C-alpha cells in the first residue's frame, strides 16, 4: 500500500508500508515532513523531475538504506535525512549546497563522495554521523580539498570537517590551517592527541567537547582564546597548561573533565567564568594566580575531591555557589584580610529587569506583557557549607559549618 498526496507537482505527504518507493514523475518538489517516520521504506528512487527536497522531508525514516536522487537536485534542506539511522548509500554527485544537519545521526554512512560541483557544505551537515570515515571531493573541485578523508577549504586554511568515524588516535593540524571551526572535533571518541600549528591562535567554542579519549593537546603556545565548552566532557584529559596569553576561562571550558587532576595557570588569567571547572571530580588542589579578579558562579561546583583552593586578594567578585558540592574538608587560602573576605562573600542582591525586544527568544513568543523587574539574592557560600578559610593578610582563620 502506498498513498501519495500531490498538489501542483509538490509531494506533500506519503503513507506506505512498502519497502521500495518510487516517486512519481509528476513530482518536482518534496515538501517538508513529507515522508517523516515512514518506517517501512528501505529504498527510495526519485523521478527525474524532482529538483527540491525541503527540510525534514525524510526525517525519521529509520530503516531507509539506499536513496537515488534526481539529477536535478542541487541542494538538500535542513534535517532532510536526520535520524535515517541505517542510511548507507546516497548519490551526491550533483549536489552544490548542503545545509545544516542534513544527515544528522545517519549512522550507516561510512563514506560520501561529492563532485566538482560542490560549492558549499555546512560544517554540521554530517553531525553525529559516528561511523563516517571519509568525505571525498575530486581535485577539480574549486572550493574544497580532501586529504585522507578530512575536508578542507581549497587553500587549506580551514578544516571544514573531520569525520567522526576516522580510525586515527592522533591528528597533526597542517601548517597552513589558520582557523578551527566550532565543534569541529565534537564527540570524537577515537582521537587521543591533537597537535596544533603556530598559526592557530583560538580554540573555538565546543571544539573538542565530549572527546572522551582526548589526552593531550600540543603546541598551545600561541593560543590567546579558548571558547565556551572547548574541552567540556573530555573525560581522559588529566593535565592542562593554560597558554600564557589566555585571559579568560569561559563557561564550562573544562566542565565534566572528570579525570582532570592538575591545571597550571598563567599569570595573565583575569576571569574564571561560570562553571569553568564544574564536575571536575579529580581536582584536589587549585592555585589561582594573582592576576585573577573574577570567579564566576559554580566555577568549582561539584569538584567533590577539591581539598585546597588558593584565591588571591585581587579577586573582586565571587559568583553564586562557586564551591557548592566540593569536599567537606575544603581549605581555602585567601590572599586578603578577614574583612575583605567577609565583604567578598556576603549575600548580594541583584536586580533583574524585563528583557528588551532583542531578547524575546529567551521567553517564547514576544507579547506586550513585560516581565517585571525582580530582585534576587545571590548566595556565595551556603549556610550548610563545611570549609576552612585562612586569610593570609592578617592571619585569621574562619570555619564554616564546624
Amino acid at each position: 500500500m502506498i498513498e501519495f498526496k500531490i498538489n501542483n507537482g509538490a509531494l506533500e505527504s506519503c503513507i506506505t508500508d512498502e519497502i521500495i518507493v518510487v516517486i512519481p514523475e509528476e513530482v518536482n518538489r518534496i515538501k517538508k515532513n513529507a515522508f517523516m517516520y515512514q518506517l517501512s521504506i528501505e529504498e527510495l528512487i526519485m523521478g527525474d523531475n524532482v529538483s527540491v527536497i525541503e527540510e525534514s522531508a525524510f526525517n525519521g525514516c529509520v530503516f531507509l538504506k539506499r536513496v537515488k536522487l534526481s539529477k536535478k537536485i542541487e541542494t538538500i534542506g535542513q534535517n532532510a535525512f536526520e535520524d535515517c539511522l541505517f542510511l548507507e548509500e546516497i548519490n551526491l554527485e550533483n549536489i552544490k549546497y548542503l545545509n545544516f544537519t542534513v544527515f544528522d545521526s545517519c549512522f550507516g554512512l561510512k563514506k560520501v563522495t561529492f563532485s566538482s560541483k560542490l560549492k558549499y557544505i555546512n560544517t554540521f551537515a554530517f553531525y553525529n554521523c559516528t561511523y563516517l570515515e571519509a568525505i571525498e571531493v575530486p581535485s577539480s573541485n574549486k572550493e574544497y580539498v580532501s586529504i585522507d578523508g578530512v575536508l578542507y577549504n581549497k587553500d587549506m586554511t580551514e578544516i571544514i570537517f573531520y569525520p567522526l568515524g576516522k580510525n586515527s588516535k592522533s591528528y597533526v593540524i597542517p601548517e597552513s590551517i589558520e582557523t578551527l571551526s566550532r565543534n569541529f572535533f565534537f564527540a570524537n571518541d577515537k582521537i587521543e592527541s591533537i597537535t596544533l600549528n603556530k598559526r592557530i591562535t583560538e580554540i573555538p567554542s565546543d571544539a573538542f567537547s565530549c572527546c572522551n579519549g582526548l589526552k593531550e593537546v600540543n603546541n598551545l603556545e600561541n593560543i590567546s582564546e579558548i571558547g565556551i565548552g572547548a574541552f567540556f566532557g573530555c573525560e581522559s584529559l588529566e593535565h592542562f597548561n593554560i597558554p600564557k596569553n589566555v585571559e579568560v576561562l569561559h563557561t564550562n571550558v573544562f566542565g565534566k573533565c572528570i579525570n582532570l587532576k592538575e591545571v597550571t595557570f598563567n599569570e595573565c588569567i583575569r576571569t574564571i567564568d561560570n562553571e569553568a571547572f564544574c564536575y571536575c571530580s579529580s581536582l584536589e588542589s587549585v592555585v589561582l594566580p594573582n592576576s585573577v579578579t573574577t570567579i564566576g558562579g559554580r566555577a568549582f561546583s561539584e569538584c567533590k575531591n577539591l581539598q585546597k583552593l588558593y584565591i588571591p586578594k585581587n579577586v573582586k567578585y565571587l559568583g553564586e555557589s562557586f564551591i557548592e558540592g566540593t569536599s567537606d574538608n575544603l581549605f581555602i587560602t585567601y590572599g586578603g584580610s578577614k574583612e575583605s573576605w567577609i565583604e567578598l562573600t556576603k549575600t548580594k542582591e541583584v536586580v533583574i529587569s524585563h528583557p528588551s525586544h532583542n531578547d524575546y527568544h529567551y521567553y517564547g513568543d514576544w507579547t506586550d506583557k513585560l516581565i517585571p523587574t525582580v530582585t534576587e539574592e545571590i548566595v556565595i557560600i551556603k549556610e550548610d557549607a563545611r570549609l576552612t578559610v585562612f586569610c593570609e593578610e592578617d592571619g585569621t582563620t574562619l570555619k564554616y559549618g564546624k
Side-chain angles (χ1 to χ4, degrees):
M1 179 275 293
I2 188 164
E3 180 181 329
F4 294 116
K5 181 180 179 182
I6 301 172
N7 187 6
N8 293 325
L11 198 161
E12 297 180 350
S13 68
C14 173
I15 299 175
T16 184
D17 58 6
E18 300 287 336
I19 293 176
I20 300 175
V21 171
V22 178
I23 295 177
E25 289 293 331
E26 64 182 288
V27 174
N28 56 44
R29 185 183 197 93
I30 300 175
K31 299 287 287 183
K32 178 180 179 181
N33 302 336
F35 286 83
M36 182 174 272
Y37 302 126
Q38 293 302 305
L39 301 181
S40 70
I41 305 175
E42 294 184 13
E43 183 172 353
L44 183 74
I45 301 170
M46 292 188 188
D48 291 336
N49 292 318
V50 177
S51 60
V52 176
I53 299 177
E54 294 188 5
E55 64 181 275
S56 301
F58 301 96
N59 190 318
C61 292
V62 174
F63 299 102
L64 180 61
K65 295 179 180 179
R66 292 173 296 278
V67 176
K68 183 180 179 181
L69 296 178
S70 160
K71 293 181 180 180
K72 290 185 178 180
I73 294 174
E74 297 182 346
T75 184
I76 302 176
Q78 180 176 319
N79 304 109
F81 292 94
E82 180 181 3
D83 290 333
C84 293
L85 306 185
F86 292 93
L87 183 63
E88 299 173 354
E89 182 182 328
I90 184 168
N91 58 314
L92 298 172
E93 60 267 18
N94 292 300
I95 296 299
K96 292 183 178 180
Y97 306 95
L98 207 58
N99 290 312
F100 184 83
T101 60
V102 171
F103 295 103
D104 184 354
S105 301
C106 291
F107 302 135
L109 286 177
K110 292 185 177 181
K111 180 181 177 180
V112 291
T113 302
F114 294 92
S115 73
S116 58
K117 296 179 181 180
L118 182 65
K119 293 184 177 181
Y120 170 78
I121 180 171
N122 187 282
T123 56
F124 289 88
F126 295 95
Y127 179 78
N128 202 33
C129 292
T130 53
Y131 296 95
L132 183 61
E133 298 174 358
I135 292 182
E136 302 289 352
V137 295
S139 58
S140 57
N141 188 284
K142 295 181 179 180
E143 304 296 332
Y144 300 105
V145 60
S146 177
I147 299 177
D148 294 329
V150 181
L151 191 68
Y152 306 88
N153 64 345
K154 191 64 175 181
D155 58 4
M156 288 283 292
T157 58
E158 183 180 359
I159 302 168
I160 304 302
F161 188 79
Y162 186 100
L164 285 178
K166 185 175 172 62
N167 192 21
S168 178
K169 292 184 177 181
S170 63
Y171 178 57
V172 178
I173 294 175
E175 287 298 322
S176 59
I177 299 298
E178 297 176 352
T179 60
L180 302 180
S181 301
R182 179 172 180 171
N183 290 87
F184 93 104
F185 255 90
F186 178 79
N188 187 313
D189 60 2
K190 294 180 176 63
I191 205 77
E192 295 181 4
S193 175
I194 296 286
T195 300
L196 305 179
N197 65 40
K198 295 181 180 180
R199 291 173 176 260
I200 295 171
T201 59
E202 178 184 355
I203 297 176
S205 296
D206 301 315
F208 302 103
S209 179
C210 300
C211 290
N212 294 332
L214 185 64
K215 296 178 179 179
E216 61 179 12
V217 181
N218 303 307
N219 290 354
L220 289 163
E221 293 83 1
N222 294 318
I223 297 297
S224 59
E225 179 78 10
I226 302 178
I228 294 171
F231 295 95
F232 177 85
C234 290
E235 296 182 353
S236 298
L237 197 64
E238 296 185 2
H239 310 278
F240 199 91
N241 293 329
I242 308 298
K244 62 182 180 180
N245 296 319
V246 172
E247 296 185 359
V248 179
L249 290 182
H250 289 288
T251 299
N252 262 322
V253 64
F254 294 105
K256 291 192 176 181
C257 290
I258 59 176
N259 287 302
L260 185 63
K261 298 176 181 177
E262 182 182 11
V263 180
T264 303
F265 295 88
N266 65 49
E267 293 297 329
C268 293
I269 290 286
R270 295 181 294 102
T271 301
I272 311 294
D273 215 337
N274 298 339
E275 301 185 355
F277 293 94
C278 187
Y279 288 97
C280 290
S281 52
S282 294
L283 274 180
E284 295 183 1
S285 178
V286 173
V287 178
L288 298 177
N290 291 326
S291 55
V292 174
T293 60
T294 301
I295 300 175
R298 294 177 57 81
F300 296 96
S301 68
E302 305 304 327
C303 294
K304 294 187 179 298
N305 291 301
L306 187 61
Q307 304 287 325
K308 297 179 181 179
L309 175 62
Y310 180 79
I311 298 177
K313 71 176 182 179
N314 292 327
V315 171
K316 305 301 180 186
Y317 176 83
L318 286 177
E320 181 177 17
S321 306
F322 79 105
I323 52 168
E324 182 180 18
T326 54
S327 167
D328 286 345
N329 298 314
L330 179 60
F331 188 98
I332 294 178
T333 301
Y334 172 59
S337 64
K338 173 184 175 181
E339 181 180 357
S340 297
W341 177 258
I342 291 173
E343 178 65 24
L344 187 63
T345 58
K346 71 179 182 181
T347 298
K348 301 176 177 65
E349 289 190 348
V350 178
V351 176
I352 310 295
S353 60
H354 63 72
S356 69
H357 281 65
N358 290 331
D359 295 328
Y360 77 93
H361 54 281
Y362 292 113
Y363 297 92
D365 293 334
W366 183 261
T367 66
D368 291 331
K369 184 179 179 181
L370 297 176
I371 296 175
T373 298
V374 295
T375 301
E376 290 188 357
E377 283 193 344
I378 303 299
V379 179
I380 310 304
I381 299 178
K382 293 188 176 181
E383 293 182 0
D384 59 352
R386 295 172 63 84
L387 69 148
T388 300
V389 179
F390 174 70
C391 302
E392 279 187 328
E393 197 167 85
D394 55 15
T396 304
T397 299
L398 301 172
K399 292 184 180 292
Y400 293 77
K402 298 181 180 179

